[in-house]
Amino acid sequence: MKGLMQDVPLTLQMLLERAERIYADKHIATKTAQGVRRRSYGEVVGRVARLANVLRDLGIGRGDRVATFAWNSDRHLELYLAAPCMGAVLHTLNPRLHPDQVRWIADHAEDRVVFYDASLEPALAAVGDFKTVRHLVRMNDLDDDSTAALDAAADYETLLEEADGAYPWPRLAEGDAAAMCYTSGTTGHPKGVVYSHRSSVLHAMASLFSDSLGIRERDVCLPIVPQFHANAWGTPYASLMTGANLAMPGRFMADPPSVAALTAAEKVTVSAAVPTVWFGVLQAIRSGQIDAASLQSLERIVCGGSAVPEALMRGYDELGIRIVHAWGMTETSPLGTVATVKSTIAEADVLRTRLTQGLPAPSLTLRLETERGDVAPWDGETMGELQITGPWIADAYYDPDAPDLRGGLDRFTEDEQGRRWLKTGDVAVIDSHGYVKLVDRTKDLVKSGGEWISTLELENLLLAHPKITEAAVIAVPHQKWDERPLACVVRADDGLDRDEVLSYLGEHVAKWQIPDDVVFVDEVPKTSVGKFDKKVLRDRYADYELPT
């Protein structure tokens, strides 16, 4: 017997219609060089219809890839809606990648048009010629009326002014592709993840749950995590769905004073970014560069991308701002787990629980696979590779050369019930309450004399030291023990020396877990999305000779 419910496709057109009919008076604010530009949701929806006509006039049809090369802004949000709602596929390009990688990704995805911010024009010019791109459209985010330096680039606002204001939105299937995002590609070529309309809508809904990200109509959401990084963690779509105002930092997302000023001006209540961003803001407050009062409206920070150190969480607790620790990947759309605290958790364990990666989001299922290939118990001790399945988890990678466009199948496995599991590459433990605690990435663990050492644990300890601003721990070869840990540290105090660092770690971990040496660096290299790039450090210190 089948249920007698209406079969309504879950598509992003729902968000477009809802924003227009229910939340037309809510707004999106974008920081610019001249100040803050504000547009109502109703105005944005009208511009989205014009943009869809522009795309059609440029020859974009169903399934064609529409690339963006842009910061977080109202214009980028318009592209988030127009491309998928007309049946095309939004493809966010990462301007922080090397030009060769950008070109490879755009060619692999077979992008037809690139919409770019004028401030990124030099970076786009460095990419060179694309194989399939036929049109460039420039969105001027500068403080002048300069014209495009790239040949034949059209002006975004001019195209919208000339376009028809009505667009006949087509009926879409919920399984149709809505957006593409490529992994950061720290090893080998980046991999293309293709989000469907259904997965995007369900992901947005899940972000509204109070025990998830809890985004509400009364919120003002500031996505500092870039729109080119896993669709800004889905926060733009979630905000549109619930009617929360949006504040977009434009090209000023890496500038703590600008972030603080926008937070104060728009009365931001919730924000999202990687830990390195919030460390920068906290340091700016402590140095007097930022007045802590400018963040008084901020209630909570969604923080992910890498583990949140205890020192960072405590620092914002002191300001009355709650960090919500979350975990995910490009392949998980990206919301995977959220560290909300269950009522059954003892008060003494609350902070420890908040520092875990959290519980799986509703409708997602987790398991751990051990080195032996069996499923690990949830005892908080047995380690295994974290695997995940659910309605917004990737099922394959995009491969234009494969008959069914499915590639990278070695990253996926199937159980006896036929469920597909994504192998995340993260090593974790799960406790009896269901909380995930990442131990490390499989490639970052140090295997010393047959024992595993978590670099993540050592890094969190180092970042809690008052004289350390950044720290990363890597494995280096060792003749006797196979591998040993090396600590790469950025000092806040030049008086800090090797012995003090190692002595400090010795107070918290077993002797065999203490790094064999410490190197002091000016900065820990970062990936294009702000995570510590250990690959660069491993290459740099591949031949490092540890003291005997």
Side-chain angles (χ1 to χ4, degrees), residues 60-264:
I60 300 301
R62 296 284 284 263
D64 286 339
R65 266 71 79 196
V66 174
T68 62
F69 198 72
W71 305 115
N72 294 12
S73 72
D74 51 347
R75 290 167 177 154
H76 206 165
L77 181 70
E78 289 162 4
L79 285 156
Y80 261 49
L81 293 167
C85 288
M86 71 174 292
V89 182
L90 175 79
H91 177 206
T92 53
L93 291 169
N94 185 341
R96 293 174 176 162
L97 293 177
H98 188 277
D100 290 345
Q101 272 197 315
V102 174
R103 183 172 57 255
W104 185 92
I105 290 170
D107 290 344
H108 188 265
E110 300 175 304
D111 293 334
R112 295 284 302 280
V113 57
V114 178
F115 288 78
Y116 70 92
D117 277 338
S119 60
L120 291 169
E121 198 162 54
L124 186 62
V127 174
D129 294 332
F130 298 102
K131 289 181 179 178
T132 59
V133 171
R134 298 292 177 262
H135 303 281
L136 299 177
V137 180
R138 182 180 189 262
M139 301 181 291
N140 192 0
D141 64 333
L142 301 175
D143 54 359
D144 56 39
D145 296 324
S146 60
T147 56
L150 294 175
D151 291 341
D155 178 70
Y156 184 86
E157 293 297 332
T158 300
L159 290 176
L160 258 62
E161 288 173 8
E162 297 172 350
D164 192 332
Y167 185 82
W169 300 107
R171 181 173 175 82
L172 303 173
E174 62 179 25
D176 288 347
M180 295 180 73
C181 187
Y182 277 67
T183 61
S184 55
T186 53
T187 57
H189 279 307
K191 298 178 178 63
V193 178
V194 183
Y195 306 125
S196 68
H197 280 267
R198 179 177 184 268
S199 71
S200 299
V201 170
L202 290 174
H203 184 273
M205 286 182 176
S207 298
L208 308 185
F209 296 162
S210 58
D211 280 333
S212 179
L213 305 188
I215 298 176
R216 302 158 292 181
E217 183 275 336
R218 63 172 291 273
D219 277 322
V220 180
C221 181
L222 168 60
I224 301 175
V225 55
Q227 285 183 264
F228 54 75
H229 178 42
N231 286 0
W233 298 351
T235 52
Y237 287 146
S239 297
L240 282 165
M241 179 175 280
T242 196
N245 287 335
L246 275 165
M248 296 296 204
R251 56 191 170 96
F252 303 98
M253 60 178 62
D255 179 49
S258 293
V259 168
L262 185 60
T263 298

Side-chain angles (χ1 to χ4, degrees), residues 476-494:
V476 294
H478 191 278
Q479 187 173 4
K480 179 179 180 181
W481 302 112
D482 189 27
E483 291 180 338
R484 289 296 298 159
L486 172 69
C488 305
V489 170
V490 179
R491 289 182 282 205
D493 183 336
D494 289 341

